[in-house]
Amino acid sequence: IAKVATEKAKPFGVYQVKDTAHFIENIPIKEFPGIGKAFKQRLLFHGIKRLGEIEKHKDLFYSWGKIGVQLYERVIGIDNEAISERTPRKSIGISRTFDPIRDGSEVRRRVVIMVRHIVYMVMGLEVNPTTYFLKINYEYGTKHKMSRTVDRIFSEYLFREQLLEMYDEISHYSLGAIKLTLNVSNFTNQQHKTLSLLDLHDDMDRAKLSKEIQSLRDRFGIDIIKSGVEL
């Protein structure tokens, strides 16, 4: 019901449902989430065309077992499902779509911009991702993707360095790029990983610098400090 009401409020309005029965009275059944083509045909067979008609057919819905009971209760606004706590976030990602770009340096620049935004979210959540993912969608359905697992302390320097290496490895300069997707996952607080000691001191210094940069971005905005390649 909330989802249907949200559709009524788009794009910028507010819609309040005070009386569920009145609200659903004349809404076509196809507009309710969970009523697919097959179920729609079943309802039409029984002469049910609008959501408001469902309440009058409780016995029919209950005769269809669990799925019928569940749909009936959702349509008329009954929700006995338990509220569960939100599970810990397992990944952070962003995507950007644009008109075809054939200039590799420009696509590379956009990767760096997106790196900065991912870093801002990672530092804000105070997590340490160890798997980095990059996907580039090109014209004509061509896709190149790559992931790396780096068991090190996360920093903006490390993430940017790894993403640019991945980009150079999978980029396709003869086609126009139309979409970039970046993602980080495998947080150490969830996976209990042992981090590499080989670059520990450098990684600690860079992580400290990333935290200082984060504090400036929190105060003055994410664009206050950028990488030189972005300019």
Side-chain angles (χ1 to χ4, degrees):
I1 296 300
K3 184 170 178 59
V4 176
T6 299
E7 293 297 322
K8 298 287 185 183
K10 288 181 178 180
F12 304 114
V14 175
Y15 194 98
Q16 182 180 9
V17 178
K18 296 182 179 180
D19 183 336
T20 301
H22 177 71
F23 171 66
I24 68 173
E25 185 176 5
N26 294 310
I27 296 177
I29 56 175
K30 66 178 181 180
E31 293 187 16
F32 193 81
I35 298 181
K37 291 183 178 180
F39 222 102
K40 175 186 173 183
Q41 293 302 317
R42 185 188 297 189
L43 296 180
L44 292 175
F45 177 79
H46 290 277
I48 302 172
K49 299 179 180 179
R50 302 188 179 279
L51 297 179
E53 299 167 357
I54 288 179
E55 189 172 7
K56 303 173 185 176
H57 295 81
K58 180 177 180 179
D59 291 341
L60 176 63
F61 277 79
Y62 274 56
S63 71
W64 291 337
K66 183 178 179 180
I67 188 171
V69 172
Q70 189 178 61
L71 181 58
Y72 174 84
E73 293 184 346
R74 285 180 174 173
V75 170
I76 66 173
I78 298 174
D79 185 4
N80 295 317
E81 296 180 4
I83 298 175
S84 58
E85 293 186 10
R86 188 173 181 175
T87 57
R89 192 164 185 170
K90 295 183 178 180
S91 66
I92 299 171
I94 55 175
S95 296
R96 293 291 183 270
T97 304
F98 36 80
D99 293 332
I101 300 175
R102 294 178 177 82
D103 182 352
S105 61
E106 172 59 19
V107 181
R108 207 171 188 268
R109 186 183 76 88
R110 295 191 182 212
V111 169
V112 174
I113 294 173
M114 292 173 67
V115 162
R116 175 161 52 86
H117 283 77
I118 288 280
V119 169
Y120 185 78
M121 291 187 282
V122 168
M123 302 301 293
L125 291 173
E126 298 183 346
V127 292
N128 192 91
T130 56
T131 297
Y132 311 152
F133 172 83
L134 170 66
K135 182 170 75 171
I136 310 172
N137 291 60
Y138 290 95
E139 299 171 296
Y140 315 119
T142 301
K143 302 175 184 178
H144 289 178
K145 60 184 178 180
M146 185 177 185
S147 67
R148 282 186 181 178
T149 296
V150 183
D151 294 329
R152 294 169 60 180
I153 299 174
F154 183 86
S155 68
E156 184 164 353
Y157 177 90
L158 175 64
F159 185 47
R160 182 174 62 244
E161 176 187 61
Q162 294 295 319
L163 262 290
L164 289 179
E165 287 182 6
M166 292 161 63
Y167 171 76
D168 291 340
E169 194 165 333
I170 67 173
S171 58
H172 195 309
Y173 291 105
S174 63
L175 294 175
I178 59 174
K179 183 179 180 181
L180 289 171
T181 302
L182 275 63
N183 181 283
V184 294
S185 59
N186 285 332
F187 304 145
T188 52
N189 64 321
Q190 297 173 6
Q191 302 295 332
H192 304 293
K193 290 189 172 186
T194 300
L195 300 180
S196 171
L197 297 177
L198 296 177
D199 302 284
L200 181 61
H201 293 298
D202 287 341
D203 286 349
M204 289 178 66
D205 288 342
R206 288 164 180 165
K208 182 178 180 181
L209 177 59
S210 292
K211 289 182 180 179
E212 296 296 332
I213 292 174
Q214 181 76 6
S215 65
L216 290 174
R217 287 173 175 161
D218 283 338
R219 185 175 179 184
F220 299 108
I222 192 172
D223 293 328
I224 191 65
I225 297 179
K226 301 179 180 180
S227 300
V229 71
E230 295 183 46
L231 304 178

